[in-house]
Amino acid sequence: MFHSALIPVVVDCLRPLGDTRLTQWLIGVLAAAVFCAHALDWLPADVVAFPLAALVINLLATLVTRPALRRQPGLFVFHCALALLLALATLASMTGIEGRFELTEGDVFDGRLLAAERGWLHPGSVDAAAFLHRGFEIEYEAGMRRGRTRNAVEWVEDGVVRRAVIGDQTPLAIGRYRFYTTANKGFAPVLVWAAHGREPVAGAVHLPSYPLNASQQSQGWTLPGMAETATVSLLLAEPLVPIDRAVTLSRPGAHRLRLQLRGQTVELLPGEAWSLDDGELRYAQMRTWMGYKVRHAWAGPWLLIVSLAGVLGLAWHFLCKFGRSRW
Amino acid sequence: MEFVLNLMATLAYATAAALAVAQRHGRSVVVLLLAGVTLQTIALGQRWVVLGHGPFTTLYEVLASNLWSLALLFAVAYAAIDRLRPAALVVLPLLLVMAVWMLSVDDGPGHFPPTFSTALLYLHAGFGKLFLGPLLVAAGLGGVVLLRRWPAAARPWAAMPASPRLEDLAYRFAALAFVFDTLMLITGAVWAQDAWGRYWAWDPLETWAFMTWLLLAFTLHWRIRARSRPEVSAGLLVATFALAFLTFFGVPFVSVSPHKGVF
């Protein structure tokens, strides 16, 4: 009895929140917030969340307090779908992660990210999704216009080694994680520093992204266990991505590596070494590195189902409304 | 050859517009529009075969393909619905402006990025055309409602259906446009998820497309809720079309956006 007496009170309290004049105002405020977030760099994009939240409250209150809306099933489905979409998108944002990292050819991704944006419910680790980068080929049209990317990868799934070629809109999917190649990629000479009396230690130097930084292929490399940094530069006889013809970019063929350390400079071919007083610095081989984006995406299929249901409801509503009379 | 075909199509649209402005509505307008569409079909088809991809990348291609779809959709609607014909006085001059603009821009080939090699492109672009077409009709009818308030312009429309009837028809087309606009946004989000791993990132084109959707939602809500004079909702429809036009033909070509396909 108390329950049945409470419902009209609750509905009366919600009625002002469900006023469709308020809907008009809130749509306007949302549009203004979107415009300001887009136009003003200093304004965080999250400012859109407030009018969106207010619209959700308005929408839910309307669904509860307006019998006329519930009597139009197509329109009701559309508005319910809107509310559900926002809820799903919010949940996806809270549990998601978006990160980036660079991986040398021949190395396995160990979960460490260079940068990441995490939802506060995401565990923060991606190390469950390990894969091996096995090299890339990228097509370039004349004019240095990037075409298809083909990146060979390898991973273990259910105890079985699997291989695939990913690139552009074809990600590597491991669990709920999606790994995408990016335009950020380049060359990684592998150097081996063998200090006297110690085990040799190898390291890959990620040279700046190519061909974006074609004229600046230099990077510093701190010798393992030392405080010194060598400057490593790639010397090419000609650009690997010329402006006047189409090519396929992969590892450079003929090239030399210039090393500058302790005021001295040497140029090495792959396999050659530089003898120093306290050890040997050898240029082992040239590899590539690829920049990846990783996203944790579980909500996509649900968002699609809900949004399609909503638009079908809307279409059904208009079909019933306008189909009865002549246009 | 492509330029000649487009020029002939422009002449067909110009003649159709002249007939509409002269209040000579009828089958001739439909025939001229369809002639223009046919000429453009040949031009676009030839270009597709030569380049190996559809008209999706440059301003010229976007103008040409949307002019083609708008002319086709309007021709069908014009032939099917008598009440709609006054909208030709607004729509056909606008199509003529688009045609002249198309002839004036560089028609050289653009870069077809690898992320465009997907069926989602055709779905997204298709829904976009099915959105813009009905919205153009609605805005055309809205434009007539607004123009007939101007004393100098009122006389030509005196014999036409009353403004509330025109506005009612405009509302129906706006509702149809809203359904396809929503589908365009959904397929765009699916494509973005496929291409870039995220379904929405507030890039300039996504932002302005969402603003257009919001304005159309506001207009439909206003029309139902406010029950105001036809001129108010007519004005909102014209404003919505203007925003959609800027979003389709302006934003992708002035912003540095993944939608340009180069990144």
Side-chain angles (χ1 to χ4, degrees):
Chain A
M1 208 161 90
F2 176 75
H3 179 258
S4 60
L6 187 60
I7 292 175
V9 173
V10 171
V11 170
D12 281 341
C13 289
L14 288 176
R15 207 176 296 279
L17 291 174
D19 191 340
T20 50
R21 282 174 299 185
L22 183 59
T23 309
Q24 295 291 110
W25 283 107
L26 289 174
I27 291 175
V29 170
L30 176 59
V34 168
F35 177 77
C36 290
H38 174 65
L40 303 172
D41 290 336
W42 53 267
L43 199 61
D46 295 343
V47 72
V48 171
F50 297 103
L52 266 178
L55 268 170
V56 169
I57 294 169
N58 169 251
L59 175 57
L60 292 174
T62 306
L63 291 171
V64 169
T65 61
R66 306 267 160 187
L69 181 56
R70 294 196 297 275
R71 284 196 293 269
Q72 301 174 79
L75 205 59
F76 181 72
V77 165
F78 173 70
H79 285 89
C80 286
L82 280 180
L84 194 52
L85 267 176
L86 287 168
L88 276 172
T90 304
L91 194 57
S93 170
M94 285 162 50
T95 56
I97 188 170
E98 182 179 324
R100 60 178 185 85
F101 60 95
E102 295 175 4
L103 193 59
T104 309
E105 184 181 352
D107 282 359
V108 175
F109 174 57
D110 59 3
R112 283 182 295 174
L113 301 173
L114 286 174
E117 287 180 16
R118 294 180 175 83
W120 54 280
L121 289 179
H122 188 274
S125 169
V126 192
D127 55 8
F131 72 95
L132 175 72
H133 161 35
R134 296 180 62 230
F136 63 69
E137 284 184 342
I138 301 170
E139 294 172 9
Y140 277 86
E141 298 172 12
M144 294 176 68
R145 288 174 165 174
R146 191 165 57 89
R148 288 195 181 279
T149 297
R150 292 185 295 273
N151 174 208
V153 293
E154 187 178 298
W155 73 103
V156 176
E157 190 175 312
D158 300 325
V160 177
V161 174
R162 299 189 189 278
R163 293 196 174 96
V165 176
I166 67 171
D168 305 311
Q169 69 263 35
T170 306
L172 169 62
I174 300 178
R176 294 199 186 278
Y177 293 98
R178 300 288 181 271
F179 297 90
Y180 289 81
T181 59
T182 69
N184 193 32
K185 78 287 179 192
F187 307 118
V190 178
L191 299 173
V192 181
W193 168 241
H196 291 318
R198 291 188 184 171
E199 288 294 317
V201 180
V205 184
H206 286 194
L207 296 174
S209 181
Y210 196 92
L212 183 65
N213 300 289
S215 60
Q216 297 160 342
Q217 289 293 290
S218 291
Q219 189 66 275
W221 187 61
T222 303
L223 276 63
M226 312 281 287
E228 297 168 280
T229 298
T231 301
V232 181
S233 306
L234 174 63
L235 303 178
L236 297 165
E238 58 177 9
L240 296 176
V241 183
I243 202 148
D244 59 342
R245 55 192 164 90
V247 293
T248 299
L249 177 69
S250 59
R251 277 190 232 163
H255 68 277
R256 286 168 295 139
L257 204 68
R258 174 185 293 156
L259 301 175
Q260 293 168 283
L261 178 66
R262 301 170 186 170
Q264 301 173 68
T265 301
V266 296
E267 293 181 4
L268 302 176
L269 294 172
E272 291 184 344
W274 180 15
S275 290
L276 297 161
D277 293 338
D278 53 347
E280 181 186 81
L281 187 56
R282 186 166 62 87
Y283 171 31
Q285 60 176 223
M286 180 63 78
R287 293 184 187 171
T288 60
W289 65 268
M290 172 61 75
Y292 294 92
K293 286 183 304 193
V294 57
R295 296 179 197 269
H296 180 248
W298 61 268
W302 297 106
L303 289 166
L304 180 61
I305 290 168
V306 170
S307 56
L308 286 177
V311 79
L312 284 172
L314 185 67
W316 177 251
H317 168 71
F318 285 134
L319 186 65
C320 294
K321 183 168 181 165
F322 300 134
R324 290 189 216 116
S325 57
R326 197 169 163 267
W327 281 54
Chain B
M1 182 64 176
E2 187 178 350
F3 182 82
V4 171
L5 288 168
N6 284 327
L7 184 60
M8 290 167 62
T10 302
L11 289 172
Y13 296 143
T15 310
L19 287 176
V21 169
Q23 301 288 302
R24 290 170 60 184
H25 294 290
R27 195 160 50 169
S28 304
V29 172
V30 178
V31 169
L32 284 163
L33 284 173
L34 291 178
V37 168
T38 304
L39 289 162
Q40 278 205 276
T41 304
I42 299 169
L44 287 168
Q46 276 185 343
R47 186 184 181 92
W48 197 317
V49 168
V50 166
L51 296 183
H53 64 77
F56 302 115
T57 59
T58 65
L59 176 58
Y60 165 78
E61 288 174 349
V62 172
L63 274 171
S65 62
N66 280 284
L67 178 62
W68 173 88
S69 62
L70 290 175
L72 178 60
L73 286 168
F74 188 73
V76 170
Y78 184 96
I81 305 170
D82 288 350
R83 200 162 42 125
L84 181 149
R85 293 185 176 186
L89 282 101
V90 175
V91 171
L92 296 188
L94 177 64
L95 293 186
L96 179 59
V97 167
M98 284 181 68
V100 171
W101 187 11
M102 173 190 68
L103 290 174
S104 70
V105 298
D106 178 14
D107 63 355
H111 171 59
F112 195 76
T115 51
F116 277 35
S117 299
T118 168
L120 290 166
L121 164 66
Y122 299 93
L123 273 179
H124 178 60
F127 285 134
K129 290 172 179 1
L130 290 171
F131 151 61
L132 202 60
L135 187 63
L136 174 63
V137 173
L141 289 165
V144 171
V145 169
L146 291 173
L147 283 170
R148 77 196 309 184
R149 296 268 300 169
W150 183 25
R155 197 171 168 187
W157 285 295
M160 293 180 186
S163 289
R165 284 198 70 200
L166 292 180
E167 188 271 337
D168 175 72
L169 187 59
Y171 165 60
R172 292 173 180 227
F173 276 95
L176 186 64
F178 189 65
V179 171
F180 286 115
D181 192 10
T182 308
L183 283 168
M184 182 186 71
L185 291 181
I186 292 170
T187 49
V190 174
W191 183 17
Q193 174 72 33
D194 187 48
W196 306 310
R198 89 301 182 273
Y199 52 85
W200 196 269
W202 296 107
D203 77 20
L205 190 53
E206 288 167 350
T207 300
W208 285 100
F210 180 67
M211 300 265 283
T212 306
W213 185 87
L214 270 185
L215 184 54
L216 190 48
F218 180 93
T219 302
L220 292 172
H221 259 267
W222 179 274
R223 207 267 183 183
I224 297 164
R225 178 68 187 81
R227 295 192 184 93
S228 57
R229 296 196 326 265
E231 288 80 7
V232 175
S233 94
L236 286 170
L237 285 172
V238 170
T240 306
F241 180 79
L243 185 60
F245 194 89
L246 281 171
T247 303
F248 265 63
F249 304 112
V251 172
F253 305 101
V254 300
S255 72
V256 179
S257 156
H259 276 91
K260 293 183 85 166
V262 181
F263 64 100

